[in-house]
Amino acid sequence: MSKAKPNNPEQLRISSFFSQPGPSSRSQATGRRPRSPIDLTGDDAEETQPKRRKISSNAEDASSSRISQDQVHAGPSSSTGSSNKHSFGAADKYRFEPASPAKEKGRSHIPGSVQSQRKERIRKILDDRNLFHDGSDDTVPADAEQDHEDDAQEPDEDKNDDNGIQTQSSFEDTLAFFANAKAKPKATQRVKAPPAKKAQEIGPSGLPFTPLELQIRELKRQHSGTILMFEVGYKLRFFGDDATIAAKDLGIVAFQNRNFLTASIPVHRRDVHLKKLLAQGHKVGLVEQTETAALKKAGDTRNELFARKLTRLYTAATYVDQLGSVDDTDLSTVPPLMCIVEELLGGMGADERVSISMIAISASTGDVTWDQFEETKISKSTQKMLTYFASHSTAEHRTRLEHCHTLTYTDAFSYVSKFYSDHANSASASQDSQQSAPGELMGAISNFPKQVVIALAHCIKYLSEFEVAGTLLEIRFFSKFTERTHMLLNGNTITNLEIYHNETDFKTKGSLLWILNRATTKFGAQEILETPSPKLPVLRQLLRGLPDLARGLCRIQYGKCTPQELALLLPAFNKIASAFNPIDRLSEAGFRSPLLNDVICTLPKLKDPVQDLLGVFSLKAAAEGKKDSMWTDPDKFPDLDGILASIQVVESELVDELKQIRKVVKKPALQYSTWNGEDYLIEIKRSENREVPVTWSLISSTKIFRRYRPPEVRAKVEQRAQLLEALDNEANRAFLSFLSEISRRHYGILRDCVNKLAVVDCLLSLALVAVQDGYARPSFCDEDTLEIVDGRHPMVEALRDEPFVPNSVFMGRGRPKNKIITGPNMGGKSSAVRMIALSQMAQIGSYVPAKSMRLTVHDGILVRMGASDELARGRSTFMVEMQETSDILHLSTSKTLVILDELGRGTSTFDGMAVASAVLQHLVQHTACRTLFITHYPQVATDLERRFPADIQNMHMGFIEDTRINGTREVAFLYKLSEGLAAESFGIECARLAGVPDVVLQIAINHSEKLKQTIEQRIRTSKTRKYMRLLEQVVSPSPDLARQALQNLRSTFE
């Protein structure tokens, strides 16, 4: 039996493992049973227990608690002076250390004690190198350092525990330092707290507003009342209420997208949909991006939303379409813009008068008309009615009404003066400017009435928003409406005579315009003008194939012309200028017409200005739309030439880079490629297996190719893109400057040329009408007469295959000026009077469809025909009839042709007869105009002819009446205007032609006979009583009474 060893306090005993020690810091921290390793192999009394692995916590209070508990419960195992070396026996392999199942999977194959020692060693090394100094222990005495070094050799567990918190924290900071080693250095070492996020505004859909939606909302707020088309990507989009309107008027789909209802159209269909919206009377604005991708990428706002603003604004009256557009509309369908200013003049109720000043502008042709007149004040109900009709118009373009506050005359004159002064000063800077001088402009403005100046100021202010105010620059092209030299046709006349469209399907075919408009006909009309001049075929050939010069000139003036349009317009003007040689006197032109001589004299003046303009740019480049390379003189726009030189330098550097790239990839024939709009790409086949530098960016990869872009090339490409954007901006500025130069220097002569060519075009069109068979040249005289021999209706003759029955009429020159026309229904009365009225086409210089015609000049044609009510105005059929009659009585003069068709038929027989008789009597006695009066009242006709035999003549439409065996009558219409009175209207026979049943017609015949007999009996009885009364007065003892009664009796029998 061996000798017992002395009691060693560091020697572990078996009984100590079964004791119940106080809870250690680890057991308290983890809630687990403390580790109890049993070492049964240790005989050496000096062998110490292996140091336990310590897991420090990040929580400061838990660490301090653990340290204090370790100090209390260390017991005999924590003895000073023990060695820092530990022996690992065979039992250490099989020592059991419980661990959580969750960490078992990620445990390393290195034993836990070894890992703990490695971490401890790393921590010691880093701590010794002062990598974790916090600055508080920078000054340490030498003796303290020596003490610290000695203490480090002792396995003082309390000290290790005490430093565990700081060491662990420093170690984690070191790991964080290396983890952020690749991050960009900050300007300061201070760590700033992340900025607090702004509170996002929630939209109606419950989602926050995006930056784009906030931008849209702000733009819609700034431009309320305007339909906005937003350029977003490759589409134009509508938002909110605009999307609802667009979906309805354009036939597209609107859908909810986050906080806005939205609809979209393709960019290339913009003009088509824009015209549809304008035709509905909307005001449409185009919102475009003001930043490009290349310039934004180089700027400070590359991570922000693209800036957008309203760049264009349109209404139907201010939209000037491009030349040669696919859906090009006729100029006659473009509505004018009218500004009306009212000024109260006094009066009460219906007698309240106002002064009305107006300016009418056609933006597509540049025509401006102004006038001032007095009228009764428009009531509120009438204003409401006008608003209703404007919004519910069935015309091609709906009328748009806008109200504004009237300017004072001082403010208006100041605004107008500034507008013309600014443009006149800019024009005077040009030596060759042909615009009016500032003094001449201001003198013309001061001669305008005050209210017209106010209207002009409003027009300038309004048109400036649409960038078409340039149409008001040339005051010499203004015209006053009352100074017209043409005949007045009111609205009813234009409608009833079917001047612009027929009344059946409201199309141009069947109207007078359809007959006269031959401007696009290919064959010639030189036979009509009796002149041997060879210039007429040249002039006719000159007008063929010309573009719309009036609209193109307006687009140049507004700065909206494109290079393609300019390449079309200037060669056309050059063709016109080179057609004839310059002449000094009008007599050398070779025509008998002063109009044609003036045209031949004016056209050659265009030659020098147009050829100067053509020498500035290349037609080929302009036709291709190249604004940057179309200029022949590089010194004209030096900034543009400088940018082009910079682009060439960058492109040459890209070529040099390609040489280096060929060496890198070892491919001498390598060339740049383009893919999907991306230029300067390095395209390498996959099958070649070439190695490329890792710095190259992969742009695309397909089954066959891989496309790269080196960083040096990428920088050059970005620089080139920025230069191209700058080139585009500078090219646009240069082109607008050139258009402004054309407008400033040559607008006057170009506009004068366009107006004269329009006159020639109209004359040739009328000549083509005159060459037709049966058209005669009218003759004008100073005598008060209207004579038509075998006149025909121009539209009926052209539409029907049957020949039109001609009619003759003679008014004035010793014959009655007023004709009362009676006859059967469907007998041709209305066609006959329309034929007489349409013969006034002679006053526009046209031949007429007649054998001969002789007339004096008329100042107007006033027509009252048909029957219709106006329920929206609260007017019945008879009220409309009386209102139109009242207008005729107020407007007619002694030189007016008046046509009244069946006046008084809308009321009772006796009232209608009375009104008809009184109106015709007034026209005969007071107005003394020419009148064509159609009526079915024979008594009115006979009475007025008897009273005014020298001024009124009864005529009727001829017919032949035949009675059948069954008692029915058959009427054959001769459509011939003859003298005399028609006793019957044959209304029942007209009803038979309409298909009314015979039973109904027979009842009507019986009633007609009874009524006829009753009326005749009453007339005979009335006459008998009248005769008896006169006879009694004749035998009266009073001589005077007897004499008067005898005269009355004689006139009654006559």
Side-chain angles (χ1 to χ4, degrees), residues 78 122 163 276 304 417 579-580 600 784 786 802 901-902:
S78 54
I122 294 172
N163 295 334
K276 292 181 181 179
E304 298 179 3
S417 302
F580 303 101
I600 300 301
D784 188 10
L786 174 60
E802 298 84 359
D901 187 2
E902 300 184 22

Side-chain angles (χ1 to χ4, degrees), residues 142 815 991:
R815 301 187 182 185

Side-chain angles (χ1 to χ4, degrees), residues 865-902:
M865 280 186 171
S868 62
D869 54 18
E870 295 178 354
L871 298 180
R873 300 185 183 183
R875 295 179 179 179
S876 64
T877 303
F878 186 69
M879 182 61 184
V880 173
E881 185 179 347
M882 291 298 99
Q883 184 64 53
E884 294 175 356
T885 303
S886 174
D887 295 339
I888 290 175
L889 295 178
H890 285 92
L891 296 176
S892 59
T893 66
S894 60
K895 294 184 178 181
T896 305
L897 176 63
V898 176
I899 297 177
L900 297 173
D901 187 2
E902 300 184 22

Side-chain angles (χ1 to χ4, degrees), residues 23 498 530 604 613 874 992 995:
E498 300 178 323
E530 299 174 358
L613 294 175
R992 180 176 286 107

